[in-house]
Amino acid sequence: MKQSNLQKCLWLAMVGVAGLYSCKPKGTQSAVSGNAASKVYVAPGKYDEFYNFVSGGFSGQMSVYGLPSGRLFRVIPVFSVDPEKGYGYSEETKAMLNTSHGFVPWDDLHHIALSETDGVQDGRWAFANGNNTPRLARVDLKTFRTAEILEIPNSAGNHSSPFITENSEYIVAGTRFSVPVGDNLDVPIETYKQNFKGTVSFVAVDKTSGKMNIAFQVLTPGINFDLARAGKGKSHGWFFFSCYNSEKANTLLEVNASQKDKDFIMCVNWKKAEEYMAAGKAMKKSVKYAHNTYDESKHMATSTIENEVMVLDPKDCPGMVYFMPCPKSPHGCDTDPTGEYIVGSGKLAATIPVFSFTKIQTAIAAKNFDGEYDGIPVLKYDAVLHGEVQKPGLGPLHTEFDANGNAYTSFFVSSEIVKWNVQSLKVLDRVPTYYSIGHLCIPGGPTKKPWGKYVIAYNKITKDRYLPTGPELAQSAQLYDISGEKMKLLLDFPTIGEPHYAEAIPAELIMKNSQKIYKIEENQNPWAAKGDNYARVERKGNEVHVYATSIRSHFTPDNIEGVRLGDIVYFHVTNLEQDWDVPHGFAVKGANNAELLIMPGETQTLAWKPDRIGVFPMYCTDFCSALHQEMQGYIRVSPAGSNVPLTFSTGKTAPAITEKKDSVTRK
């Protein structure tokens, strides 16, 4: 495979500076401390100290691990259908995956953001981005379920997302790809520089319910947005976005979007944006996008198509948007716990620039600009720079912070984490990762209050770290101890996905609010059967509705006859258990969608269209008792036009029934 000149230069640079890293451990074992096993051991029956919420990348899901053990606790379905839980298959959850393009059963989940109060994680919600079909999701941490998904209009790739303000006022969604926006969408690709635009969306979060809505969008030049961080403390009210492709290239970006010595970090004063919104400066734009919510009382999702957004144009809103030069093709854009320092991570840069919020404000007040970019003022680099970390490593990507004034940056090319001091900009330590780290995570690392103790590396390549599994190897994370002056590798653990970013939070902040069951008396699902005496079967034209209950260890009803070929059968199954950790499953032979997984007190619905005559078993798919195998039943399907009466029963071999119009009742 041919290498571009840029690639060749990068590899030559790597060779040339290799001698700078003589302190880097040479062997795998040299980075592992002797007491590593004891530091990650969590005894049987004991709890991990932290929850770690990890993005699943192309799996479209979110996974939850314990730290320090690295044990996988749960995979939360978010943007992708999940047959294990029936997510996206049950009638109640299909609407969660609706978009303006129709039902989309997959997405590319890159980043996580945990809700905050006064800059500290509060354990209420986890937000996630859908990079492909632009969407934002909110997961309720009481139930570890996706509660809401909001499509992002005027966007062509939601990568710079879902970064959050210090009181969860907003999460942002910056487009990865600029595209034509507005009325004229059919334009030649070669007119990129004239016709393509970007947007960043500010999504408001209700302080009580967490419900999201697009408060406003900011129209931007046709650049690409990578990552973002909110200001905090003194910089509260600002958001910072890393940008690349300031060249506005539309082909072979590997070379053509890497020409300039510096790209940008975009600074948005969202408090000023709110003022412009109140002053009526926003344009109302017509555009369709889906807003999907899950009702915990009804156990049911609904999808609404919205029709407009409000858009602010910086040319009409002076003082709202500024650019800061940042070398080169920046990925990370991270604010330290004080909110004073903003760290840029240029993937192709040999330094790490650190900007000062105080200097940014001084430069803005003095109009210390270096011209404009598409009408937006560009602040002078030296005027806003706190300083540069010199020769830290190769391929800096992402930075998080501890509570002691130190920063930790991942380096993709040199496969390492580098620790450095934010004030002095001196490198303090470096450890190898195995291999090619992308993001990293420190519990509380992006907040005012880093919890510290650990840094977790999310690596792109594993090579020889695990038992081989064919061409596709295990995805990888590594846990390092940062409690001392030197970082120490403690643990490798595989992950689902491809892991991109993660956030970790003390377990006690979530455990205290964890929901154990759904109370039967609070079940408002219109298809619920809140006891065996409510179980029934009803015909409505060619629809047969089975209102069933499940409890250890039987279904009511468990024998059904009178279904005809051409019917659609809806199994509305209510789990009557009111005991923690006793879900029931439901499946029927021949169903070509999935099973159901029904929590205690919950109702879920499976639709089945029989394609042949016969008797079909149904059964519980989730082991629930010693008589789990006996938890089964039968459905008889007769030819179309058959006069077999619709009957149902449980525990009877010859049910006595009376058929009344479209329903059946037992004598």
Side-chain angles (χ1 to χ4, degrees):
M1 183 176 67
K2 291 184 178 180
Q3 287 183 312
S4 68
N5 290 332
L6 177 62
Q7 287 175 311
K8 291 177 181 177
C9 291
L10 278 173
W11 286 111
L12 287 172
M14 289 171 58
V15 173
V17 299
L20 294 173
Y21 307 111
S22 58
C23 61
K24 181 176 175 179
K26 302 296 183 183
T28 300
Q29 296 303 318
S30 62
V32 181
S33 62
N35 62 345
S38 64
K39 288 191 174 184
V40 301
Y41 178 69
V42 178
K46 300 296 183 181
Y47 292 147
D48 280 277
E49 185 176 359
F50 294 97
Y51 284 103
N52 189 28
F53 294 88
V54 184
S55 64
F58 46 71
S59 78
Q61 315 294 42
M62 185 188 301
S63 53
V64 186
Y65 298 83
L67 297 177
S69 72
R71 298 178 295 190
L72 175 63
F73 293 147
R74 183 167 177 81
V75 176
I76 303 173
V78 182
F79 296 116
S80 294
V81 295
D82 186 344
E84 177 194 355
K85 302 172 183 69
Y87 181 80
Y89 294 103
S90 74
E91 297 303 296
E92 282 84 356
T93 60
K94 285 180 180 178
M96 290 301 290
L97 299 179
N98 189 43
T99 74
S100 62
H101 304 277
F103 182 83
V104 177
W106 167 87
D107 215 313
D108 188 13
L109 195 162
H110 277 217
H111 304 125
I112 308 290
L114 299 182
S115 57
E116 299 179 18
T117 300
D118 193 24
V120 181
Q121 295 164 336
D122 57 31
R124 291 185 293 167
W125 308 300
F127 298 91
N129 71 322
N131 185 33
N132 183 60
T133 304
R135 288 177 277 184
L136 290 173
R138 176 174 58 88
V139 173
D140 190 333
L141 296 182
K142 291 185 301 183
T143 58
F144 282 56
R145 282 188 164 179
T146 302
E148 186 177 13
I149 294 180
L150 176 65
E151 189 178 3
I152 305 299
N154 297 325
S155 176
N158 180 30
H159 189 265
S160 183
S161 166
F163 303 103
I164 194 165
T165 56
E166 65 179 1
N167 282 298
S168 304
E169 298 97 336
Y170 295 104
I171 51 176
V172 296
T175 188
R176 176 177 177 178
F177 310 104
S178 288
V179 292
V181 175
D183 298 326
N184 188 15
L185 303 179
D186 181 18
V187 299
I189 297 173
E190 64 185 13
T191 66
Y192 185 110
K193 292 181 179 179
Q194 293 77 38
N195 292 317
F196 286 46
K197 292 289 185 180
T199 59
V200 292
S201 303
F202 282 74
V203 177
V205 180
D206 184 88
K207 293 182 182 299
T208 302
S209 68
K211 188 173 182 179
M212 303 181 291
N213 70 278
I214 300 174
F216 57 88
Q217 295 182 318
V218 176
L219 192 66
T220 72
I223 51 181
N224 299 51
F225 294 98
D226 202 333
L227 298 177
R229 284 292 187 205
K232 55 177 75 80
K234 62 174 60 181
S235 56
H236 178 66
W238 288 77
F239 237 109
F240 306 95
F241 299 80
S242 60
C243 319
Y244 63 103
N245 194 23
S246 57
E247 296 85 353
K248 296 185 180 178
N250 62 275
T251 184
L252 198 64
L253 264 64
E254 176 191 10
V255 174
N256 293 328
S258 303
Q259 299 298 311
K260 293 184 178 180
D261 181 56
K262 292 182 176 67
D263 286 287
F264 297 117
I265 286 177
M266 185 175 75
C267 312
V268 177
N269 183 338
W270 59 262
K271 290 286 190 181
K272 180 74 72 174
E274 289 180 331
E275 294 174 7
Y276 283 122
M277 285 290 294
K281 292 290 187 179
M283 302 172 287
K284 185 182 292 185
K285 296 292 184 180
S286 296
V287 61
K288 291 186 179 300
Y289 59 100
H291 191 179
N292 311 326
T293 57
Y294 190 80
D295 187 325
E296 286 287 356
S297 62
K298 294 182 179 179
H299 315 156
M300 183 179 295
T302 57
S303 179
T304 304
I305 297 296
E306 307 286 355
N307 295 295
E308 64 184 28
V309 291
M310 305 301 291
V311 179
L312 293 168
D313 191 331
K315 74 177 188 300
D316 301 323
C317 306
M320 182 177 70
V321 181
Y322 300 90
F323 283 120
M324 295 191 301
C326 181
K328 176 178 185 184
S329 295
H331 180 63
C333 174
D334 300 286
T335 56
D336 84 313
T338 70
E340 170 63 19
Y341 300 109
I342 301 99
V343 179
S345 295
K347 300 190 298 289
L348 305 181
T351 63
I352 297 177
V354 181
F355 302 96
S356 162
F357 181 74
T358 300
K359 289 186 175 182
I360 292 169
Q361 297 308 297
T362 300
I364 290 172
K367 300 186 183 301
N368 198 350
F369 302 147
D370 191 8
E372 295 182 341
Y373 181 83
D374 277 21
I376 296 174
V378 178
L379 300 167
K380 286 188 176 180
Y381 182 70
D382 291 338
V384 295
L385 188 70
H386 167 62
E388 297 176 337
V389 183
Q390 297 295 319
K391 299 179 180 179
L394 294 171
L397 292 184
H398 171 223
T399 299
E400 292 208 347
F401 306 89
D402 65 20
N404 303 311
N406 301 313
Y408 299 75
T409 301
S410 59
F411 288 82
F412 176 80
V413 178
S414 51
S415 290
E416 59 184 334
I417 298 173
V418 175
K419 175 183 177 181
W420 50 277
N421 184 267
V422 178
Q423 278 285 349
S424 70
L425 306 177
K426 299 296 185 183
V427 172
L428 304 176
D429 191 24
R430 64 178 75 242
V431 292
T433 62
Y434 305 97
Y435 305 90
S436 298
I437 181 176
H439 281 278
L440 48 72
C441 163
I442 293 173
T447 74
K448 278 184 178 179
K449 186 178 180 180
W451 310 102
K453 296 190 73 171
Y454 306 110
V455 62
I456 307 99
Y458 301 95
N459 302 329
K460 302 302 182 186
I461 297 172
T462 57
K463 295 289 189 184
D464 53 4
R465 301 299 288 180
Y466 303 108
L467 290 172
T469 53
E472 184 182 13
L473 300 181
Q475 305 293 325
S476 178
Q478 293 184 299
L479 181 74
Y480 294 80
D481 181 355
I482 60 170
S483 60
E485 291 186 7
K486 299 294 183 181
M487 295 176 281
K488 296 178 181 179
L489 176 61
L490 300 179
L491 180 70
D492 286 20
F493 61 97
T495 68
I496 69 159
E498 175 196 353
H500 281 265
Y501 181 55
E503 286 202 18
I505 182 173
E508 61 187 15
L509 294 180
I510 293 177
M511 286 177 62
K512 63 184 179 181
N513 297 320
S514 184
Q515 182 171 324
K516 293 180 170 62
I517 63 170
Y518 295 93
K519 294 180 180 179
I520 284 287
E521 63 270 20
E522 296 176 0
N523 184 334
Q524 297 179 30
N525 188 300
W527 300 319
K530 298 185 181 181
D532 285 351
N533 55 320
Y534 294 101
R536 63 198 186 277
V537 180
E538 296 178 353
R539 174 178 288 282
K540 298 178 181 178
N542 71 332
E543 295 181 357
V544 175
H545 291 263
V546 179
Y547 298 83
T549 63
S550 61
I551 197 165
R552 289 167 286 185
S553 297
H554 67 274
F555 294 106
T556 302
D558 65 2
N559 278 214
I560 302 168
E561 299 187 24
V563 175
R564 299 190 287 258
L565 204 61
D567 287 342
I568 300 175
V569 183
Y570 291 94
F571 295 98
H572 311 294
V573 186
T574 300
N575 181 350
L576 296 182
E577 307 284 355
Q578 292 290 268
D579 189 11
W580 192 22
D581 198 23
V582 189
H584 286 297
F586 178 83
V588 59
K589 182 181 183 293
N592 59 6
N593 39 20
E595 57 136 18
L596 297 177
L597 187 62
I598 313 150
M599 296 299 110
E602 184 183 36
T603 301
Q604 289 288 290
T605 300
L606 184 72
W608 174 52
K609 187 172 184 178
D611 64 353
R612 64 198 69 181
I613 62 173
V615 176
F616 298 84
M618 60 184 184
Y619 67 101
C620 177
T621 54
D622 193 294
F623 195 95
C624 55
S625 72
L627 296 179
H628 167 72
Q629 286 292 97
E630 285 77 6
M631 191 168 176
Q632 65 170 58
Y634 293 101
I635 307 100
R636 177 185 172 189
V637 179
S638 300
S642 168
N643 59 2
V644 175
L646 188 63
T647 65
F648 69 96
S649 66
T650 302
K652 296 181 180 179
T653 57
I657 59 93
T658 298
E659 186 165 5
K660 293 182 179 179
K661 295 182 180 179
D662 286 345
S663 67
V664 174
T665 58
R666 286 176 292 190
K667 284 186 177 179

